[in-house]
Amino acid sequence: MTRSKSIVGALALIMASLLAACSSSGGATPSAAAPSEAAPTAAASEAAPSAAAETTYADLTVGFIQTGSEGGWRAANTASFKDTATQLGINLKFYDAQNKLENQLSAFRNFIADDEVDVIILAALEAAGWDQVLQEAADAGKIVVLEDRRIDAPEDLYATYIGSDFTEEGRKAAVEMCTLLDGSASKNVVELVGNVGSSAAIDRGKGFREKMGDCGITITKSQTANWDATEGKTVMQAFLQDSKDIQGVFAQNDEMGLGAVQALKEAGLKPATDVKIITVDATKGAFEAMIAGDINTVVECNPLLAPQVYEAALKAVNGETLPKWVPSLESVFYQKDAETTLPDRTY
Ligand code: GYE
């Protein structure tokens, strides 16, 4: 429980009695003590404490459950939470689940049992499997805020979700691939997918498939490479061994796309020319690859979510009702803008 609540409570009580004293004595601020016009009732003295007990960032203890440390986007997301907690004076208990769902579930239960923790913030590895522990958190009066990835659980089991519209990112990627493949006789695209079961992977794939029909794109191969550059290279090599009749690569994140670039070069193909490449995230590595002419287009996914998430956590602790989803604002970047844009990128 927040450290200074007992102090604040005590202070409020003193204030209440002072107020009562004031009013009864016709003190300076009767209006302030309007309710105390009448003899101070139990309710009045009780009311006073809650108003004064507004929780501040310095009172807040957060239990943060991260997916792991897979790549540039995740590193930026983690830094956003650690740095912003320091700036705001939030007591942050950070847990890196090393990309294991069972680690996330046990950390979640540990934070439920931790009296100091006011809010649990979760970046869920997978969309399914959270109903039970969320119900346990609700029963324990713990507030839960989701960041980065949505989950398939009843909305009343969490305060709010702050993260990207992954389906829209997938749609954007398909629209851009149509532009890149305009005039191409065949439009065979292979997909490098994020970790199986994650909302980012599920929704980006869904969004791409929603729009690919607009220009007759066919996904000929689709396989997870777990957001990883090395796995992205290996999976792309396997795709190329099977068939070189590939006109585009939809990589669900920058790292897997950079792996595909290596595989294409080693297969004697020119990435972004012989085979068009679109990635998602927009980390510095993707901009450098666009400047080098190895990637065509990048769909942005914003990792710098901490200020919004902590603000929502504080509002929830102070009893405010929040919208169930706060989508991030994101852009699309092209080779032609990469050189001028890169200096302004912070991740
Ligand atoms: O695209 C990828 C990371 O959940 C949006 O996870 C995030 C994704 C991001 O590993 O790079």
Side-chain angles (χ1 to χ4, degrees), residues 70 73-74 148-149 166 200 204 227 252-255 280-281 301:
E70 75 290 354
W73 191 96
R74 190 61 56 191
D148 170 23
R149 295 186 181 167
F166 299 129
R204 285 173 185 166
W227 310 115
Q252 289 192 353
N253 83 336
D254 296 340
E255 272 83 7
V280 182
D281 279 350
C301 178

Side-chain angles (χ1 to χ4, degrees), residues 1 61 63 93 108-118 142:
M1 190 50 59
T61 297
K93 298 189 176 198
F108 200 102
R109 288 199 164 93
N110 292 343
F111 284 142
I112 292 174
D114 183 339
D115 276 351
E116 233 199 337
V117 169
D118 302 299
K142 291 282 186 210

Side-chain angles (χ1 to χ4, degrees), residues 70-82:
E70 75 290 354
W73 191 96
R74 190 61 56 191
N77 184 248
T78 293
S80 175
F81 280 88
K82 289 185 174 174

Side-chain angles (χ1 to χ4, degrees), residues 7 21 33 55 60 103 120 125 131 133 147 152 164 189 261 344 346:
I7 304 167
T55 299
L60 203 60
N103 290 351
I120 299 172
L125 260 169
D131 298 35
V133 282
E147 78 97 10
D152 300 333
S164 304
V189 168
V261 165
D344 306 330
T346 57

